[in-house]
Amino acid sequence: MHKEDQPLIFELTKPGRIGYSLPEMDIPEVDMSEMLPEEYVRVEEADLPEVSELDIMRHYTALSKRNHGVDSGFYPLGSCTMKYNPKINENVARFNGFAHVHPLQDESSVQGAMELMYDLQEHLKEITGMDEVTLQPAAGAHGEWTGLMMIRAYHEANGDTNRTKVIVPDSAHGTNPASATVAGFETVTVKSNEHGLVDLEDLKRVVGDDTAALMLTNPNTLGLFEENILEMAEIIHGAGGKLYYDGANLNAVLSKARPGDMGFDVVHLNLHKTFTGPHGGGGPGSGPVGVKADLIPYLPKPVLVKKDDVFTFDYDRPDSIGRVKPYYGNFGINVRAYTYIRTMGPDGLKAVTEYAVLNANYMMRRLSSAYDLPFDRHCKHEFVLSGKRQKKLGVRTLDIAKRLLDFGYHPPTIYFPLNVEECIMIEPTETESKETLDSFIDAMLQIVREAEENPEIVQEAPHTTVIGRLDETLAARKPVLKYVKQ
Ligand SMILES: *Cc1c(COP(=O)(O)O)cnc(C)c1O
C-alpha cells in the first residue's frame, strides 16, 4: 500500500543531470583491467540515479522524516524502550580525545579513556551492588551469554559438571532462554502465579542438583516486583545454583534497590536503555556484566586494573572465559553512560526511578477504565494491559497498535509477554511530561470508543502512514532492497 506521494529517486532521473562537481581529472586514467581480475571489471556503467544536488538532499531529508524516534515523538515500547537520549552525551562522545583514539594505541597514550572506563565500572558496581564489572559485552543478550559462560566455568571449576539446566520464568524476555541455549544449557520454565510473580512451589519443584542458575528480571517483564526474591535466592543457593539478574531496564530500582543486595550473583545492564545510549537501527549497544567475588576469576580478559594511579589491561587471567569481543567494548556508548551517570548523580538517578514508576502507575490506572488489567497491583517502570475486551468487538491488539500510528505514536510492545492474552505492554519512561502521557491516554481511550462504534477505522489502520500493513514475514524473509527500473 505505497502511497504515491513522493516519486522514488530513480523516477526523478533526467539523463545527464548530476548532483556534484569535481575538477577536471589531471592524472592519467588507469586501465582497470590491469589492476583487477577480469571478472571484477565493470563493463557497463552503473545504473545510478541522475539527479541534481537539491533533489538528492530533498530525497534523503524526506526519508529521514518518515522515521519515528525519541526526538520526534512519544515511544512507549515496553521492555526494550529506548529511553532518554540527552544531547550532552553526544557532545561528550564526540570529544577528539574520545572519538579519535584507536584501540591499538599504547596504553600510556590513552590513560584518560581507560580512567573513564574504570570509573564507569566503579559506578556500575555501586549501582548494582556487585564486586566487579566488565564492559566488554556489546548488548544485553551478549551480556547474558557472558554471565552464563562465567557461571558454567565456575561450576566446572568446582567439579560440578552435572549442572546443565537454567531456570527461566515464563514471563522472561526472549533473550534469556536463547542465551541459555547458546551457552550450552537446557532451559527449564518456571510458571508465574495468578499475581504475575514466580510461583515458589513450581520453583521448588524444578530446582535440583542439576540447576546451574535461575535467570530473573526484577521487576519482571510484567513490570511487577518479585516480592519473594530473598526466598527465591535461598532456594537457588540452597541447591548450589547461581542467581542471574537481567538488568536491561534498571530504571525501576536505580538508587532504591540493588541486585547484589537481593542475592544475585551476576547482573547485566543495558547501557543502551537505562543509561541513555541510543539504540536506533540495532546498535551499537553495551551490556556490561557485574559479578560477585567468587566469579571474578572467570571475567572476560583483559581486565582493566588500576595500580599507583596507572591503568593497565591485565591479560594474565588463567581462569578467564576469554575475550567476548574484540578490543574493549563499545567505548562510545560507555562514554555516554558515564556522562549520564555523572550529570544525574545519585539523587538524580533516584528521581529517575521515582518518575518512571509514577508515570507508569498513572497511565496504568487511567487506562484500566477501558482496558483489561490482568494484574491489578502497583507496577514498576512498565505495565501490561490486555485487549481481551476489544477482541470481543472484533478489534485485535495488533489493530490498536496500528491505529496508534495515525495519532503519531510509536506503538507499545504487543503480544509479549506470552502469558497474557492480547497483551499490550507499555513503558512511558521517566522523562515524559504529564501532557504527553495524557494525550497518549486520550488516544488509547478514543481507540476503545472507535472499536465500539466504528471498528473498521481501527481494523483498517493505519490511514496516515506512507506504508500500511506489511506482510511482516515476507518483509523479513524477502526484503526488496533494490529498485528495478521497469
Ligand atoms: C532489551 C532486553 C534484553 C536484550 O537486550 P539486547 O541489547 O537487545 O540484546 C534482555 N532482557 C530484557 C528484559 C530487555 O528488555
Side-chain angles (χ1 to χ4, degrees):
M1 202 169 79
H2 175 248
K3 296 204 185 105
E4 302 294 331
D5 64 336
Q6 188 200 353
L8 295 163
I9 195 71
F10 277 94
E11 292 160 0
L12 293 173
T13 285
K14 288 278 175 296
R17 196 168 283 174
I18 51 171
Y20 63 89
S21 55
L22 291 175
E24 287 281 313
M25 184 139 94
D26 58 358
I27 52 166
E29 198 162 339
V30 268
D31 182 359
M32 277 300 172
S33 58
E34 282 173 15
M35 303 182 71
L36 286 174
E38 203 177 338
E39 70 261 39
Y40 295 129
V41 179
R42 195 190 285 286
V43 262
E44 280 169 35
E45 290 259 313
D47 188 16
L48 298 175
E50 297 175 79
V51 290
S52 71
E53 181 183 347
L54 198 51
D55 287 342
I56 196 87
M57 274 315 296
R58 287 182 181 157
H59 171 71
Y60 282 114
T61 304
L63 285 185
S64 77
K65 286 196 214 157
R66 288 183 182 177
N67 258 336
H68 188 93
V70 276
D71 289 342
S72 48
F74 188 46
Y75 200 134
L77 197 63
S79 192
C80 287
T81 308
M82 176 150 71
K83 305 173 200 325
Y84 183 36
N85 285 179
K87 295 299 166 261
I88 186 175
N89 285 2
E90 303 305 314
N91 291 347
V92 175
R94 282 167 180 72
F95 284 178
N96 267 338
F98 293 141
H100 295 153
V101 288
H102 192 281
L104 293 178
Q105 245 170 276
D106 192 81
E107 285 172 9
S108 65
S109 69
V110 284
Q111 286 289 301
M114 290 168 81
E115 180 173 3
L116 180 140
M117 291 170 68
Y118 188 88
D119 281 355
L120 176 59
Q121 290 181 2
E122 292 299 302
H123 289 312
L124 297 179
K125 278 157 67 175
E126 173 71 27
I127 286 169
T128 56
M130 291 287 159
D131 296 321
E132 199 49 83
V133 164
T134 172
L135 299 178
Q136 261 191 45
H142 195 195
E144 291 168 24
W145 176 80
T146 303
L148 290 168
M149 291 304 280
M150 286 191 263
I151 290 176
R152 208 183 137 121
Y154 167 89
H155 288 314
E156 276 171 11
N158 290 331
D160 233 352
T161 46
N162 278 339
R163 295 192 179 271
T164 52
K165 294 187 177 155
V166 169
I167 304 173
V168 182
D170 57 6
S171 64
H173 192 273
T175 49
N176 291 189
S179 305
T181 306
V182 176
F185 292 106
E186 192 184 320
T187 302
V188 182
T189 307
V190 59
K191 285 201 298 260
S192 306
N193 61 23
E194 71 274 21
H195 307 295
L197 304 178
V198 169
D199 184 333
L200 287 187
E201 290 314 308
D202 200 41
L203 182 63
K204 284 180 199 156
R205 195 180 57 74
V206 296
V207 76
D209 54 13
D210 56 359
T211 301
L214 166 71
M215 288 183 95
L216 199 73
T217 311
N218 196 17
N220 66 26
T221 308
L222 300 166
L224 305 173
F225 194 83
E226 294 282 354
E227 299 166 349
N228 304 316
I229 185 60
L230 296 179
E231 204 174 336
M232 285 155 69
E234 241 176 72
I235 296 171
I236 296 298
H237 286 152
K242 292 283 181 198
L243 244 75
Y244 184 98
Y245 187 100
D246 179 338
N249 308 289
L250 218 63
N251 56 342
V253 294
L254 269 180
S255 285
K256 294 278 182 185
R258 306 194 306 171
D261 301 334
M262 297 179 207
F264 285 91
D265 304 287
V266 187
V267 52
H268 87 261
L269 306 173
N270 278 26
L271 300 189
H272 51 290
K273 287 181 186 167
T274 319
F275 295 92
T276 70
H279 64 268
S286 176
V289 175
V291 293
K292 287 280 178 64
D294 53 359
L295 289 159
I296 291 179
Y298 311 104
L299 282 168
K301 66 183 177 184
V303 172
L304 180 53
V305 291
K306 177 182 180 181
K307 200 165 164 236
D308 303 329
D309 279 336
V310 176
F311 300 92
T312 49
F313 285 113
D314 179 10
Y315 289 84
D316 185 18
R317 313 278 300 188
D319 296 324
S320 164
I321 60 164
R323 256 188 197 286
V324 299
K325 188 180 182 306
Y327 308 122
Y328 316 105
N330 279 327
F331 180 66
I333 295 296
N334 296 339
V335 172
R336 288 168 174 86
Y338 177 82
T339 307
Y340 176 64
I341 292 170
R342 295 302 305 267
T343 36
M344 297 303 280
D347 292 339
L349 293 179
K350 191 181 272 180
V352 164
T353 297
E354 290 169 357
Y355 283 112
V357 173
L358 179 64
N359 284 358
N361 277 282
Y362 174 71
M363 199 173 251
M364 177 179 81
R365 285 296 153 209
R366 281 204 56 201
L367 287 174
S368 67
S369 65
Y371 291 88
D372 235 59
L373 185 61
F375 306 106
D376 190 359
R377 318 169 59 222
H378 288 315
C379 65
K380 293 293 168 210
H381 62 299
E382 66 190 0
F383 61 96
V384 161
L385 301 172
S386 163
K388 248 173 26 187
R389 266 186 248 171
Q390 287 69 37
K391 188 182 172 187
K392 292 205 186 90
L393 304 168
V395 166
R396 304 284 310 264
T397 285
L398 176 69
D399 303 321
I400 297 171
K402 294 293 181 194
R403 181 70 178 133
L404 277 169
L405 297 173
D406 288 332
F407 292 89
Y409 296 115
H410 191 293
T413 296
I414 55 173
Y415 299 111
F416 180 84
L418 306 174
N419 54 348
V420 172
E421 190 190 343
E422 294 295 313
C423 188
I424 307 174
M425 182 195 212
I426 301 178
E427 178 181 3
T429 81
E430 60 278 2
T431 34
E432 297 294 346
S433 67
K434 182 165 178 296
E435 290 73 21
T436 302
L437 303 183
D438 281 332
S439 11
F440 178 79
I441 293 167
D442 290 346
M444 287 287 285
L445 297 178
Q446 179 174 332
I447 294 172
V448 170
R449 281 193 302 276
E450 288 172 350
E452 288 160 359
E453 292 159 14
N454 184 10
E456 294 81 37
I457 197 169
V458 189
Q459 288 156 343
E460 286 160 21
H463 305 277
T464 59
T465 56
V466 177
I467 304 275
R469 296 200 188 191
L470 293 172
D471 178 335
E472 289 175 18
T473 314
L474 206 63
R477 299 272 155 79
K478 291 190 177 162
V480 181
L481 297 176
K482 64 182 193 192
Y483 175 85
V484 184
K485 259 197 234 175
Q486 299 304 322

Short mmCIF file of all heavy atoms in Angstrom, two decimals, residues 79-80 139-142 144 173 175-176 217 221 246 248-249 268 270 272-273, ligand 1:
data_model
loop_
_atom_site.label_atom_id
_atom_site.label_comp_id
_atom_site.label_asym_id
_atom_site.label_seq_id
_atom_site.Cartn_x
_atom_site.Cartn_y
_atom_site.Cartn_z
N SER A 79 9.59 -2.70 27.80
CA SER A 79 10.78 -3.53 27.93
C SER A 79 11.98 -3.05 27.12
O SER A 79 13.01 -2.71 27.68
CB SER A 79 10.48 -5.00 27.58
OG SER A 79 11.56 -5.79 27.98
N CYS A 80 11.87 -3.03 25.80
CA CYS A 80 13.04 -2.64 25.01
C CYS A 80 13.08 -1.15 24.72
O CYS A 80 13.76 -0.71 23.80
CB CYS A 80 13.09 -3.44 23.73
SG CYS A 80 13.56 -5.15 24.05
N ALA A 139 25.91 -6.03 24.01
CA ALA A 139 24.45 -5.92 24.05
C ALA A 139 23.95 -6.68 25.26
O ALA A 139 24.73 -7.37 25.94
CB ALA A 139 23.83 -6.51 22.79
N GLY A 140 22.65 -6.56 25.52
CA GLY A 140 22.06 -7.28 26.65
C GLY A 140 22.20 -8.78 26.50
O GLY A 140 22.68 -9.49 27.40
N ALA A 141 21.81 -9.29 25.33
CA ALA A 141 21.88 -10.73 25.11
C ALA A 141 23.33 -11.23 25.21
O ALA A 141 23.60 -12.30 25.76
CB ALA A 141 21.29 -11.07 23.75
N HIS A 142 24.25 -10.41 24.72
CA HIS A 142 25.66 -10.77 24.79
C HIS A 142 26.13 -10.82 26.25
O HIS A 142 26.90 -11.68 26.65
CB HIS A 142 26.45 -9.72 23.99
CG HIS A 142 27.85 -10.12 23.67
ND1 HIS A 142 28.78 -9.20 23.23
CD2 HIS A 142 28.50 -11.30 23.73
CE1 HIS A 142 29.93 -9.83 23.02
NE2 HIS A 142 29.78 -11.09 23.31
N GLU A 144 24.16 -11.53 28.78
CA GLU A 144 23.55 -12.74 29.36
C GLU A 144 24.43 -13.95 29.08
O GLU A 144 24.73 -14.75 29.97
CB GLU A 144 22.17 -13.00 28.74
CG GLU A 144 21.11 -11.98 29.13
CD GLU A 144 19.86 -12.10 28.25
OE1 GLU A 144 19.62 -13.18 27.69
OE2 GLU A 144 19.15 -11.10 28.12
N HIS A 173 12.15 -12.22 29.29
CA HIS A 173 12.49 -11.71 27.96
C HIS A 173 13.02 -12.87 27.11
O HIS A 173 13.75 -13.71 27.61
CB HIS A 173 13.56 -10.63 28.12
CG HIS A 173 13.76 -9.83 26.87
ND1 HIS A 173 14.62 -10.22 25.88
CD2 HIS A 173 13.23 -8.66 26.45
CE1 HIS A 173 14.60 -9.33 24.91
NE2 HIS A 173 13.77 -8.37 25.23
N THR A 175 15.32 -13.22 25.11
CA THR A 175 16.78 -13.47 25.01
C THR A 175 17.26 -14.40 26.12
O THR A 175 18.29 -15.05 25.94
CB THR A 175 17.57 -12.15 25.12
OG1 THR A 175 17.10 -11.42 26.24
CG2 THR A 175 17.43 -11.31 23.86
N ASN A 176 16.54 -14.49 27.25
CA ASN A 176 17.04 -15.31 28.37
C ASN A 176 17.15 -16.79 27.98
O ASN A 176 18.24 -17.36 28.05
CB ASN A 176 16.17 -15.15 29.62
CG ASN A 176 16.30 -13.77 30.28
OD1 ASN A 176 15.80 -13.53 31.36
ND2 ASN A 176 16.98 -12.82 29.62
N THR A 217 14.32 -11.38 36.00
CA THR A 217 14.25 -9.93 35.84
C THR A 217 13.45 -9.43 37.03
O THR A 217 12.42 -10.01 37.34
CB THR A 217 13.51 -9.59 34.53
OG1 THR A 217 14.07 -10.35 33.49
CG2 THR A 217 13.60 -8.13 34.19
N THR A 221 9.10 -8.98 33.70
CA THR A 221 8.69 -8.42 32.41
C THR A 221 7.23 -7.96 32.41
O THR A 221 6.79 -7.29 31.49
CB THR A 221 9.01 -9.45 31.31
OG1 THR A 221 10.38 -9.80 31.47
CG2 THR A 221 8.84 -8.90 29.94
N ASP A 246 18.63 -10.13 35.05
CA ASP A 246 18.54 -9.42 33.77
C ASP A 246 18.23 -7.96 34.07
O ASP A 246 17.09 -7.59 34.36
CB ASP A 246 17.43 -10.06 32.92
CG ASP A 246 17.25 -9.37 31.58
OD1 ASP A 246 17.64 -8.19 31.46
OD2 ASP A 246 16.70 -10.00 30.66
N ALA A 248 18.42 -5.29 32.14
CA ALA A 248 18.31 -4.45 30.93
C ALA A 248 17.62 -3.13 31.26
O ALA A 248 17.99 -2.08 30.75
CB ALA A 248 17.55 -5.19 29.84
N ASN A 249 16.62 -3.20 32.12
CA ASN A 249 15.86 -2.00 32.46
C ASN A 249 15.95 -1.75 33.96
O ASN A 249 15.16 -2.27 34.72
CB ASN A 249 14.39 -2.20 32.06
CG ASN A 249 14.29 -2.64 30.61
OD1 ASN A 249 14.54 -1.86 29.70
ND2 ASN A 249 13.97 -3.89 30.40
N HIS A 268 23.49 -8.28 34.25
CA HIS A 268 23.90 -7.47 33.10
C HIS A 268 23.03 -6.23 33.05
O HIS A 268 21.89 -6.23 33.52
CB HIS A 268 23.84 -8.25 31.78
CG HIS A 268 22.49 -8.22 31.10
ND1 HIS A 268 21.59 -9.24 31.20
CD2 HIS A 268 21.90 -7.26 30.33
CE1 HIS A 268 20.50 -8.93 30.52
NE2 HIS A 268 20.65 -7.74 29.99
N ASN A 270 21.78 -2.92 30.39
CA ASN A 270 21.79 -2.40 29.02
C ASN A 270 22.06 -0.89 29.09
O ASN A 270 21.16 -0.12 29.41
CB ASN A 270 20.44 -2.64 28.34
CG ASN A 270 20.30 -4.03 27.78
OD1 ASN A 270 20.95 -4.96 28.28
ND2 ASN A 270 19.49 -4.20 26.76
N HIS A 272 22.46 0.90 26.71
CA HIS A 272 21.68 1.49 25.61
C HIS A 272 20.19 1.48 25.90
O HIS A 272 19.39 1.66 25.01
CB HIS A 272 21.99 0.77 24.29
CG HIS A 272 21.87 -0.72 24.38
ND1 HIS A 272 22.77 -1.47 25.09
CD2 HIS A 272 20.98 -1.60 23.88
CE1 HIS A 272 22.41 -2.75 25.01
NE2 HIS A 272 21.32 -2.85 24.28
N LYS A 273 19.81 1.27 27.13
CA LYS A 273 18.41 1.50 27.51
C LYS A 273 18.42 2.46 28.70
O LYS A 273 18.33 3.65 28.55
CB LYS A 273 17.70 0.19 27.85
CG LYS A 273 17.42 -0.65 26.62
CD LYS A 273 16.70 -1.94 27.01
CE LYS A 273 16.55 -2.84 25.79
NZ LYS A 273 16.15 -4.20 26.19
C1 LIG B 1 16.26 -5.46 25.76
C2 LIG B 1 16.26 -6.54 26.71
C3 LIG B 1 17.18 -7.60 26.60
C4 LIG B 1 18.12 -7.78 25.43
O1 LIG B 1 18.99 -6.72 25.20
P1 LIG B 1 19.69 -6.53 23.77
O2 LIG B 1 20.66 -5.43 23.95
O3 LIG B 1 18.60 -6.22 22.81
O4 LIG B 1 20.37 -7.82 23.43
C5 LIG B 1 17.17 -8.56 27.59
N1 LIG B 1 16.29 -8.52 28.62
C6 LIG B 1 15.39 -7.52 28.74
C7 LIG B 1 14.46 -7.52 29.92
C8 LIG B 1 15.33 -6.50 27.80
O5 LIG B 1 14.42 -5.53 27.92
#
